[in-house]
Amino acid sequence: MPLSATLPAGRASEGSAEPLMGLDLLRFAAAGLVMAFHLACTAWLVPSSEAAELLGRPMAYPWLLPVSAIGWIGVPIFFVISGTVIAYSASRAGASAFLLNRFLRLMPGILICATVTFMLALAFAPDAPMVLIERYLRTLVLFPVPRWIDGVYWTLGIEVAFYGLVAALLMLGRREQIERVILAVGLVSAAAWCLAASPLWPGLDRLISTRIAKLTLITHGCDFAIGVLMWCGMRQGWTVPRLVGLTACLLGALLQIRYDAFTVATLLGVSPSVGAATAIFLGSLILCQVSGAVNAPLIARFPGLAPRLRRLGLATYPLYLLHTVVGVLMMRLMAGLGLSAPVCLAAGVTAAILIALLVSEHVEPPLRRRMRLALASAQEGAAQMVALRRRRSA
């Protein structure tokens, strides 16, 4: 899951940055799609899902299925945005600063949201307390394989794998090679999906959708590469090799979306919506590109709009992590009061958004500051110990 949406506008200097409003809006929209998928789709069509187990009673929303049944498309969009954001971050920071910033983006939200989910699960989930404790602890340490306290944490391991690859390049002093390396990863991913779509290797699509394939970036490497290439194209211009690479990675991403559309449709028992999912994904890429071109004029014309969209962009991370448990339990409460299914859904969505805003504005920032200070203090203490040992050895 992407964690920042601050990018320079146009050809601004590397030292200056301003919010890219289209990216903030897109991140929030992607989180809204995922929320619709869980609250208005799997909660009544997949009895074994976490949302259905928490809800306890099915609430059908067939009129929302054209949108909610393809809400999963928000995740590939997140990965593209992450590629864009990380390409920007890596262009400005050294390896240690990059790792510190990624850690401070991930961990405060995980600590807060996983704890909230754990406490609510203890009260309402049907699982035994010891089972929930184990999942909670696995979540806090970002354990790479399931299960976690909430299924949405499956994306974080993939994000960490991507961050790790970029950090390794920075440590090796290969900042200028980031685009090429990520493009190579994207091309491998795209080639795998093209091969899976052919009759040459039956069952390859299932193989490259396993957890191991996800963690090695084979499954979603093309998504991250699209984001990196889009950033480089916006900053340095579109060259023929860059356009060819983008086209190849885009083909792989669309084939992966097609596979997911059929897989999810089978799970839900509905008709696959490949065209709608593809249109949303391509539309998000166009929005990313256009927003970079018109960002500065929009900020100048509507100076008050950027901070409002920035609030939504920052709330995306806790919204993604908390929407299932908070939204479904609010729906459950409203249903217990005898309210209609649409009202219950509206209350669940509203509660999830409000809690996400509360976390992003009032809970995450102070925790992040304390963690930053603690890490700085630990680093200073370690440096003093090293200096003391050197003096003693001398």
Side-chain angles (χ1 to χ4, degrees):
M1 145 119 254
L3 304 172
S4 172
T6 303
L7 298 172
R11 297 279 178 176
S13 67
E14 291 296 331
S16 63
E18 55 190 20
L20 190 59
M21 295 193 295
L23 210 55
D24 282 319
L25 181 62
L26 181 59
R27 292 173 68 216
F28 189 78
L33 285 168
V34 177
M35 179 164 56
F37 180 65
H38 290 141
L39 269 59
C41 188
T42 62
W44 63 284
L45 287 178
V46 185
S48 61
S49 67
E50 293 167 332
E53 291 179 349
L54 282 173
L55 190 57
R57 51 185 290 186
M59 277 188 255
Y61 300 98
W63 46 280
L64 270 179
L65 277 180
V67 175
S68 63
I70 57 173
W72 52 268
I73 195 62
V75 172
I77 294 172
F78 277 142
F79 289 147
V80 171
I81 296 174
S82 184
T84 301
V85 170
I86 294 306
Y88 163 65
S89 300
S91 71
R92 297 165 54 92
S96 59
F98 176 82
L99 286 172
L100 176 63
N101 289 336
R102 291 305 97 201
F103 178 84
L104 291 174
R105 286 292 180 185
L106 278 178
M107 290 313 300
I110 291 173
L111 287 171
I112 295 163
C113 298
T115 301
V116 170
T117 301
F118 172 64
M119 294 172 63
L120 292 174
L122 282 175
F124 297 100
D127 304 286
M130 289 306 299
V131 171
L132 294 174
I133 291 173
E134 179 189 358
R135 293 176 186 170
Y136 175 59
L137 295 176
R138 291 165 70 96
T139 303
L140 293 183
V141 299
L142 284 176
F143 202 75
V145 296
R147 292 187 59 181
W148 306 278
I149 196 63
D150 191 317
V152 296
Y153 286 86
W154 73 270
T155 62
L156 296 191
I158 302 170
E159 292 277 359
V160 169
F162 176 55
Y163 299 165
L165 176 57
V166 174
L169 292 171
L170 292 175
M171 290 178 182
L172 294 172
R174 296 290 187 267
R175 187 195 308 272
E176 71 283 354
Q177 298 296 321
I178 289 177
E179 180 184 4
R180 292 181 183 177
V181 172
I182 301 303
L183 174 58
V185 171
L187 292 177
V188 170
S189 173
W193 282 111
C194 290
L195 186 58
S198 74
L200 299 176
W201 194 337
L204 179 60
D205 48 7
R206 292 189 297 273
L207 181 61
I208 60 177
S209 298
T210 61
R211 186 62 182 170
I212 293 177
K214 287 180 169 66
L215 292 173
T216 53
L217 303 181
I218 294 174
T219 310
H220 295 285
C222 43
D223 297 324
F224 290 114
I226 289 170
V228 171
L229 290 169
M230 289 181 64
W231 162 255
C232 294
M234 284 190 289
R235 290 290 294 168
Q236 302 168 13
W238 288 101
T239 62
V240 172
R242 197 168 278 151
L243 287 170
V244 171
L246 178 65
T247 301
C249 291
L250 184 58
L251 175 60
L254 295 181
L255 289 174
Q256 193 264 329
I257 288 171
R258 179 179 181 275
Y259 171 79
D260 279 353
F262 278 92
T263 302
V264 173
T266 301
L267 174 67
L268 300 178
V270 299
S271 299
S273 301
V274 179
T278 299
I280 292 174
F281 184 76
L282 293 177
S284 71
L285 302 187
I286 294 172
L287 177 59
C288 277
Q289 193 68 25
V290 171
S291 64
V294 303
N295 193 60
L298 282 178
I299 290 178
R301 180 68 181 269
F302 306 102
L305 182 59
R308 294 187 179 93
L309 292 180
R310 185 62 179 149
R311 288 183 65 200
L312 295 180
L314 291 173
T316 298
Y317 185 38
L319 178 61
Y320 175 75
L321 296 181
L322 285 173
H323 70 267
T324 300
V325 64
V326 171
V328 168
L329 289 179
M330 178 56 71
M331 292 169 63
R332 177 172 168 172
L333 174 62
M334 295 297 102
L337 297 176
L339 299 178
S340 65
V343 173
C344 292
L345 179 61
V349 169
T350 302
I353 293 173
L354 291 177
I355 293 297
L357 287 168
L358 175 66
V359 170
S360 65
E361 294 179 8
H362 301 290
V363 186
E364 260 191 301
L367 178 58
R368 184 174 290 114
R369 286 194 295 269
R370 290 185 184 132
M371 293 178 70
R372 187 183 295 274
L373 289 173
L375 289 171
S377 177
Q379 185 178 17
E380 182 179 355
Q384 290 175 352
M385 289 182 63
V386 170
L388 181 59
R389 288 176 182 174
R390 287 177 179 174
R391 286 197 298 269
R392 288 177 176 175
S393 62

